[in-house]
Amino acid sequence: MEAFSGILTGLAHAAMPMNLLFCLIGVALGTAVGVLPGLGPTATISLLLPLTFRMEPAAAVIMLAGIYYGAMYGGSITSILIRVPGEAATVISCIDGHEMARQGQAGKALGMAAFASFIAGVLSVLGIALLGPLLARAAYRFGPVEIAALVMLGLVMVVMISSASSIKSLAMVALGLLLSTVGQDFVTGEARFAFGWTPLTDGLGIAVIAIGLFGVSEILVMASRRDDARDMVASPRRLRELLPDRADWARARWPILRGSGLGFFLGLLPGAGALVASFGSYVLEKKLSREPQRFGKGAIEGLAGPEAANNAGAQSAFIPLLSLGIPPNAVMGVVLGALMMQGVAPGPKLATDRPDIFWGVIASMLFGNLMLVVLNVPLVRVFVSLLRVPASLLAPGILLFCAVGAYSVNNSMADVIIAMVCGLLGWGLRRGGFDPVPLLIAFVLGGILEKAVRQALLIGYGSPMVFVQRPIALAMLVLAVALLLLPVLRRVIARRFPAPESPNPMR
Amino acid sequence: MSIQHPPQHPPQHPLQQTPGPQPARRAHLLSCVLLCLAGLVAAAMAWRMGLWVDGSPGAGLLPFVSGCLLAVLSLGSLGGAVSAPEAAPDRVRPRWYLAAIGVLCALPGVVGSTLAFALALFLMIHLGERRALRSSIGWSLGLALATVVLFRQVLGVPLPEPVMLHLVGY
């Protein structure tokens, strides 16, 4: 009852013309920011912080929230069209989403990404309204031990989504973890693998790595192809072909629902919850599918589920921020800063003291997701038309964009050099049969893992038994070991108990 | 009637038995070896940082574990199957793209962003993609200018200026 009246209050506030306008600005800006390589929602929100001083607190947070989930969709556009993930969480869309684009189904991929995000957003808002504060208190119990176990589970799942063999994927995970240690150690301050070069002391940025590993390497792979194998398949002509059809919806509806649920719950968790949700969804759909061999070759379920998980996670990340005042990721940290500068202290009393902010922001997500669909679905034809540009012009343009995008992260030429080196690394790895997807995800998770493991060992006075003593962490580690050993167990069982031969029908 | 025996082949080294076409196999072996070496070097450097200091994990623990895993797993990947490339690759075009990458890394701070971008694009479009000269010049200048306008004027990114401007105190 309280949630119902809260949502009505929120809808009334969110539907005010100024709040709607700022929601539209946030969503449009977020989509544009997500498309451009290098820029991300954290940087954009930081740049807009001074503007929020003159705004009402509710309007400010509504706009900043719109930028966040708008950027998730924008990042998916580049993941699908040119295989450059705009955000870490949209890496998964590079797998089946880009493959669909290569098969001439870019419109369907973009359309499904928009609709899946919308449905997940609506479900997430309902979830927040009904369960938000309760779940936030439960998520508060997630400490470094549990976070470390979650990340280890996530790394195991990464291996399962890769198109390469398990050993090769694990090797890429190891390389990603190694790259995540480049820079200053956060405890001792010691420079690791900097080789005396100051830019490396700050560590490697995720945007720069993603631009290099995916964008630059993809261009080099394209450059290596012969002329007749280079251009994308012709884009569809009719509007009907641009959007998902009934068969696509039949395939995607359950992945969207499952992804929404997974993303909603994991997005509550501090650290990499939303990221783990997107590829957790991919692994889940691959496991549940009757045709798992289609994944990695343009399966729409492999796009719809992770997109839903991604958007649901982006929105449920507001729960710990608004209910407890605890930002679960860097973007929420900046939003927290915006609220505190306005004199608003998020926490358990926010819903009662400032219902215009708490429920207004939650309800605005309904409008924001609708605006995303209304803005972007008609633009699908425009986005798809980019694929008609000949590869001889598209590839050089994308390479230039990648270089400038990398520069724009920190206004530093060092990032351009690092991105290009990562591009060469990615090209070499792909030629050697290695998949860079696990590398990037492990790179993102590596920093979180190291911090969490070191904190966990401090909590346990140096004893690794602390992971066994916490039930949630133990359960996740057991699951991780089971997933890792599953293929081996299957092979052992198949050898020991071979399937009986089917009787010869001729006899 | 004579019986023809099949020709005898000398026994193959295990590494040569990896299925897959020759160039792909070479790339695969080279990747595995380089990754293994990188892992070993990283593990050795991490060892010197200290794995366990004063009863808690040191700065070298995760790099050491990752480096060792990388070395072992890369060696384990050596015997894996190699998928065939789609078709014989073009060897000339990538060289011009690599040259363009070199220009983008080295020249923006020297000759300015617009000129460096245009030069890089020209290398890729005319020499790499073998488009006509006039069209290549047009596209290179147009794309370079559009990029500079978008990032510098619209987004406010301070793109590198020519070094001469700094020398004259601009």
Side-chain angles (χ1 to χ4, degrees), chain A residues 68 72 88-90 92 139 142-144 146-155 157-158 177 206 262-281 306 309-310 312-314 316-317 320 327-332 440-452 476:
Chain A
Y68 185 32
M72 288 296 151
T90 60
I92 302 305
F142 235 71
E146 288 77 14
I147 292 171
L150 175 66
V151 171
M152 284 188 235
L153 175 61
L155 288 172
M157 287 199 285
V158 164
L177 290 175
I206 171 65
L262 195 64
F264 177 77
F265 286 105
L266 290 182
L268 294 168
L269 303 174
L275 173 61
V276 174
S278 65
F279 58 88
S281 170
N310 198 6
S316 69
N329 56 47
V331 178
M332 293 298 116
L440 184 69
I441 298 175
F443 172 79
V444 175
L445 294 178
I448 302 166
L449 176 69
E450 184 175 24
K451 210 178 220 179
M476 285 193 281

Side-chain angles (χ1 to χ4, degrees), chain A residues 59-386:
Chain A
V61 183
I62 285 171
M63 183 181 75
L64 299 180
I67 291 174
Y68 185 32
Y69 49 83
M72 288 296 151
Y73 180 70
S76 301
I77 296 174
T78 53
S79 296
I80 290 166
L81 291 182
I82 58 173
R83 208 170 181 258
V84 179
E87 288 296 309
T90 60
V91 165
I92 302 305
S93 303
C94 289
I95 305 175
D96 280 280
H98 183 65
E99 204 49 45
M100 285 180 70
R102 288 189 62 189
Q103 293 168 16
Q105 295 181 324
K108 286 191 179 188
L110 291 169
M112 181 53 75
F115 288 122
S117 296
F118 171 71
I119 294 168
V122 170
L123 293 174
S124 190
V125 167
L126 291 173
I128 293 171
L130 295 171
L131 302 171
L134 186 69
L135 287 173
R137 282 192 284 276
Y140 191 48
R141 300 174 61 148
F142 235 71
V145 180
E146 288 77 14
I147 292 171
L150 175 66
V151 171
M152 284 188 235
L153 175 61
L155 288 172
V156 170
M157 287 199 285
V158 164
V159 172
M160 300 172 73
I161 60 171
S162 174
S163 53
S165 72
S166 297
I167 285 188
K168 283 183 177 177
S169 303
L170 279 169
M172 289 298 95
V173 166
L175 182 59
L177 290 175
L178 191 59
L179 288 176
S180 75
T181 63
V182 173
Q184 252 182 348
D185 177 51
F186 67 95
V187 173
T188 64
E190 186 177 350
R192 296 185 295 192
F193 306 116
F195 304 107
W197 195 33
T198 312
L200 284 182
T201 313
D202 294 330
L204 301 171
I206 171 65
V208 172
I209 297 283
I211 287 170
L213 269 183
F214 286 83
V216 177
S217 77
E218 182 67 24
I219 295 307
L220 291 172
V221 166
M222 269 176 78
S224 307
R225 287 194 191 125
R226 284 195 349 236
D227 287 329
D228 54 358
R230 296 184 70 212
D231 284 318
M232 299 261 191
V233 176
S235 52
R237 281 160 292 184
R238 290 180 293 178
L239 184 61
R240 249 200 333 237
E241 294 171 17
L242 285 173
L243 297 173
D245 57 25
R246 204 177 273 188
D248 296 323
W249 280 110
R251 283 211 161 103
R253 61 180 179 205
W254 289 113
I256 289 173
L257 291 174
R258 285 189 288 259
S260 302
L262 195 64
F264 177 77
F265 286 105
L266 290 182
L268 294 168
L269 303 174
L275 173 61
V276 174
S278 65
F279 58 88
S281 170
Y282 190 88
V283 170
L284 180 66
E285 296 312 320
K286 197 173 175 183
K287 284 286 166 201
L288 293 175
S289 173
R290 288 178 197 169
E291 300 170 294
Q293 69 278 3
R294 288 177 51 250
F295 281 71
K297 294 173 189 164
I300 201 163
E301 312 91 289
L303 174 68
E307 282 293 325
N310 198 6
N311 203 40
Q315 285 170 136
S316 69
F318 279 87
I319 298 177
L321 174 69
L322 295 176
S323 302
L324 300 173
I326 299 172
N329 56 47
V331 178
M332 293 298 116
V334 183
V335 175
L336 175 65
L339 280 170
M340 292 181 78
M341 284 193 291
Q342 293 266 1
V344 176
K349 289 188 180 173
L350 188 69
T352 45
D353 292 348
R354 292 300 300 264
D356 57 325
I357 294 177
F358 187 90
W359 293 111
V361 170
I362 291 169
S364 74
M365 293 177 187
L366 279 172
F367 294 112
N369 281 291
L370 187 60
M371 287 174 190
L372 263 179
V373 170
V374 167
L375 271 178
N376 288 294
V377 167
L379 289 176
V380 161
R381 193 195 279 275
V382 173
F383 293 136
V384 167
S385 67
L386 289 174

Side-chain angles (χ1 to χ4, degrees), chain A residues 358-434:
Chain A
F358 187 90
W359 293 111
V361 170
I362 291 169
S364 74
M365 293 177 187
L366 279 172
F367 294 112
N369 281 291
L370 187 60
M371 287 174 190
L372 263 179
V373 170
V374 167
L375 271 178
N376 288 294
V377 167
L379 289 176
V380 161
R381 193 195 279 275
V382 173
F383 293 136
V384 167
S385 67
L386 289 174
L387 300 177
R388 288 204 198 107
V389 176
S392 57
L393 293 173
L394 191 63
I398 292 173
L399 185 65
L400 178 62
F401 245 61
C402 286
V404 183
Y407 176 85
S408 65
V409 174
N410 289 313
N411 300 333
S412 165
M413 282 303 300
D415 286 331
V416 179
I417 295 170
I418 292 169
M420 297 301 148
V421 169
C422 288
L424 294 172
L425 172 67
W427 186 38
L429 288 173
R430 289 170 72 173
R431 286 184 70 171
F434 291 91

Side-chain angles (χ1 to χ4, degrees), chain B residues 32-69:
Chain B
C32 291
V33 168
L34 288 174
L35 284 172
C36 181
L37 281 173
L40 290 172
V41 168
M45 291 176 69
W47 180 269
R48 294 176 66 179
M49 291 176 205
L51 305 187
W52 204 264
V53 178
D54 295 331
S56 62
L61 180 63
L62 183 60
F64 179 77
V65 171
S66 317
C68 290
L69 275 175

